[in-house]
Amino acid sequence: MDSEDSSAIGTPNAIFLRNIIATVFGLTLDSWAKVLAHVEVNANCDEPFMAGCLVRAMILEKRRCGLSTFRIEDEVGTRSSPEVPKPDGRIDIKIIYSFDESEYFGMECKRVSGESSELARKYVKDGVTRFVSGKYSPSHQWASMVGFVIDSDTAGAIKLVQSYLSKLAKEVEVIGEWQRAKQPRLKRPLYLTAHKQQYSRSELTIFHLFLPLT
């Protein structure tokens, strides 16, 4: 087996995982479009409902496309350390790509708005912080936040999230600046921030994907 093509047998290498992540983001966007076409989703819906609709659509789309290199689980427990006797976190979406249960691509979902500083604060405090602390994705290189934009102001929502990340930069141990990710195949912009994870002191890159309701 070529080293750059290793997959589910043993630990996937970085190239394999990057390909998985790119596939997952494409799947997410296609699935969200189908959610909006077939499900009544509006600004009054809570985040668990929106995330549940997204995951259900992702599973159906994954099966339709015949993707078999990973599986999707939702509302699943996480452990910040192997010594923790029971899960001390519950992440919205786990993309499991290995036989090793500790290896997954974590995705946490939050509602955001161009008008609500409080939602942006929760995005950081109740989302990003859980990755940085190691409650989600301990010792991982990559993770993702998904923002459901409940109004039409995606640019404003992104600006508020950036603002809170800047305000809480020390708390969430930001390294460097907010960047546009290089994912030319995606239909929507994808952003990233780098953080020093408190659990492992290693660098964690968090992708930020924003999904409007319209």
Side-chain angles (χ1 to χ4, degrees):
M1 180 180 294
D2 187 274
S3 61
E4 293 193 352
D5 294 324
S6 63
S7 56
I9 299 176
T11 303
N13 65 18
I15 293 174
F16 174 78
L17 182 51
R18 284 198 295 268
N19 288 336
I20 287 286
I21 292 171
T23 299
V24 166
F25 283 131
L27 183 72
T28 301
L29 292 176
D30 290 343
S31 300
W32 185 241
K34 293 190 175 182
V35 169
L36 297 181
H38 298 102
V39 182
E40 179 60 34
V41 179
N42 56 56
N44 296 318
C45 296
D46 60 19
E47 177 262 302
F49 176 81
M50 294 180 185
C53 290
L54 174 59
V55 172
R56 181 178 62 177
M58 288 174 68
I59 292 172
L60 292 173
E61 185 69 5
K62 172 181 173 287
R63 291 172 181 168
R64 187 189 70 80
C65 295
L67 298 172
S68 60
T69 50
F70 58 87
R71 69 181 188 274
I72 304 169
E73 294 185 358
D74 62 332
E75 283 291 326
V76 62
T78 62
R79 286 179 170 83
S80 57
S81 166
E83 288 73 39
V84 174
K86 67 177 183 178
D88 53 355
R90 185 165 292 276
I91 197 167
D92 288 316
I93 306 172
K94 257 188 182 182
I95 306 298
I96 302 173
Y97 54 82
S98 168
F99 289 122
D100 184 340
E101 292 83 359
S102 68
E103 294 182 331
Y104 60 87
F105 180 62
M107 305 176 77
E108 178 70 1
C109 304
K110 295 295 175 197
R111 296 163 79 247
V112 292
S113 163
E115 299 180 351
S116 175
S117 295
E118 177 60 16
L119 289 179
R121 187 189 70 83
K122 288 182 177 179
Y123 179 99
V124 178
K125 294 283 289 184
D126 299 338
V128 173
T129 299
R130 294 176 184 175
F131 287 112
V132 175
S133 69
K135 180 175 284 189
Y136 299 162
S137 305
S139 300
H140 290 193
Q141 289 182 282
W142 293 291
S144 176
M145 290 291 303
V146 177
F148 298 121
V149 185
I150 61 173
D151 55 17
S152 59
D153 190 3
T154 301
I158 293 171
K159 187 175 180 179
L160 284 175
V161 167
Q162 284 183 271
S163 176
Y164 263 90
L165 279 168
S166 179
K167 288 178 183 178
L168 301 173
K170 288 186 178 179
E171 183 176 337
V172 294
E173 303 213 33
V174 175
I175 305 170
E177 300 179 353
W178 177 277
Q179 298 180 46
R180 177 83 173 262
K182 297 178 180 179
Q183 291 287 344
R185 291 178 293 173
L186 290 185
K187 301 171 186 175
R188 296 198 64 81
L190 181 67
Y191 304 91
L192 61 84
T193 50
H195 306 259
K196 182 72 72 174
Q197 195 180 60
Q198 294 162 2
Y199 171 82
S200 62
R201 305 312 299 164
S202 59
E203 184 173 320
L204 169 70
T205 297
I206 299 179
F207 294 99
H208 303 266
L209 180 66
F210 295 89
L211 303 178
L213 268 62
T214 57

